[in-house]
């Protein structure tokens, strides 16, 4: 058996997913002028919006990255898609699972190059292991708290047993998540989804780190 008795319990998160066809997901190229020095280049901003049947467009998340963090266009070699974690808007800062976008962004010095078809990725099973040791500098009164750590990735999450009344709770326990990730080759690294670590006090979120 791959799991111990304590590891049989895990949560399947209710994750809303939107898939785009190659035509729907192809954004027109952006032509801009930028200096060669990376620190002086403009930021790339990714925004995600939703639109209801009766409601207008609403932004639900964003991310800002340096242009140099994205790969340069290579003729004949389409980029591997990767997940970009999104910063939440003020109205959904306590979302259980922060949003993310699987996409490819490339840059080049001219605009006369042919665009690639996107790579085909397939779902494959992987193991994500999180080793939860301890927490400190918690900005709440810990005398009456029951602190636990939740780790989530790709719609699967696990939570440690709560530590009651501890200033520095020590869990000293690995959490193993069997998740489904996408890859374009069995021997290549997958398109890693963001891993969200949440500190909980009896199901009250005290802090979230998304990476």
């Amino acid at each position: 058996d791959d799991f111990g008795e304590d590891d049989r319990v895990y949560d399947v998160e209710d994750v809303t997913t939107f898939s785009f066809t190659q035509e729907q997901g192809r954004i027109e190229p952006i032509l801009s002028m930028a200096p060669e020095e990376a620190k002086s280049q403009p930021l790339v901003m990714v925004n995600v919006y939703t639109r209801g049947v009766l409601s207008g467009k609403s932004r639900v998340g964003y991310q800002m990255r340096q242009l140099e963090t994205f790969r340069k266009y290579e003729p004949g070699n389409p980029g591997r898609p990767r997940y970009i974690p999104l910063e939440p808007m003020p109205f959904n800062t306590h979302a259980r699972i922060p949003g993310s976008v699987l996409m490819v962004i490339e840059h080049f010095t001219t605009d006369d190059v042919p665009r690639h078809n996107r790579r085909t990725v397939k779902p494959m099973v992987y193991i994500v292991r999180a080793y939860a040791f301890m927490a400190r500098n918690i900005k709440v009164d810990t005398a009456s708290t029951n602190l636990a750590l939740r780790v989530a990735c790709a719609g699967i999450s696990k939570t440690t047993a709560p530590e009651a009344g501890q200033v520095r709770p020590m869990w000293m326990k690995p959490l193993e998540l069997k998740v489904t990730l996408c890859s374009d080759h069995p021997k290549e690294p997958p398109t890693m989804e963001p891993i969200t670590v949440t500190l909980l006090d009896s199901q009250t979120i005290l802090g979230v780190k998304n990476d």
Side-chain angles (χ1 to χ4, degrees):
D1 200 337
D2 293 335
F3 299 96
E5 201 62 39
D6 294 337
D7 291 324
R8 294 181 185 278
V9 179
Y10 62 90
D11 296 318
V12 178
E13 304 290 344
D14 185 14
V15 178
T16 303
T17 303
F18 298 91
S19 299
F20 298 92
T21 65
Q22 183 159 219
E23 182 179 355
Q24 292 172 333
R26 174 157 290 193
I27 300 174
E28 291 298 318
I30 299 175
L31 301 179
S32 64
M33 297 183 63
E36 293 184 0
E37 185 181 18
K39 293 182 179 179
S40 301
Q41 292 174 348
L43 295 174
V44 177
M45 188 170 188
V46 178
N47 295 282
V48 174
Y49 294 86
T50 61
R51 184 190 297 273
V53 177
L54 300 177
S55 60
K57 184 170 64 174
S58 175
R59 186 168 71 157
V60 296
Y62 70 94
Q63 179 59 261
M64 300 178 69
R65 293 282 181 91
Q66 293 285 346
L67 182 61
E68 63 174 339
T69 61
F70 298 102
R71 74 188 296 270
K72 191 173 182 178
Y73 172 89
E74 296 180 12
N77 183 24
R80 178 183 295 133
R82 63 173 178 170
Y83 278 94
I84 298 179
L86 301 175
E87 296 291 336
M89 303 306 293
F91 62 84
N92 64 347
T93 54
H94 293 300
R96 185 176 174 93
I97 301 296
S100 60
V101 180
L102 179 64
M103 64 186 309
V104 175
I105 295 180
E106 299 175 312
H107 60 90
F108 200 62
T109 54
T110 64
D111 63 343
D112 58 350
V113 292
R115 298 188 67 177
H116 301 130
N117 289 329
R118 65 184 185 183
R119 286 200 182 195
T120 301
V121 293
K122 297 180 180 180
M124 302 181 187
V125 177
Y126 294 86
I127 299 295
V128 174
R129 294 186 179 93
Y131 299 90
F133 293 97
M134 63 175 292
R136 62 183 180 182
N137 297 331
I138 302 171
K139 305 300 183 181
V140 294
D141 181 9
T142 57
S144 59
T145 56
N146 295 304
L147 298 175
L149 200 69
R150 183 177 71 222
V151 178
C153 178
I156 301 296
S157 70
K158 281 189 178 180
T159 306
T160 64
E163 291 287 326
Q166 299 293 324
V167 177
R168 292 184 177 181
M170 300 182 65
W171 298 284
M172 306 302 290
K173 178 177 176 59
L175 298 177
E176 192 169 272
L177 288 73
K178 183 178 289 187
V179 300
T180 300
L181 302 175
C182 294
S183 180
D184 59 344
H185 194 279
K187 296 184 179 180
E188 293 293 330
T191 55
M192 191 62 207
E193 290 208 29
I195 298 174
T196 304
V197 179
T198 307
L199 181 62
L200 306 170
D201 171 20
S202 299
Q203 302 306 313
T204 299
I205 298 177
L206 300 178
V208 177
K209 177 61 177 176
N210 193 32
D211 195 5

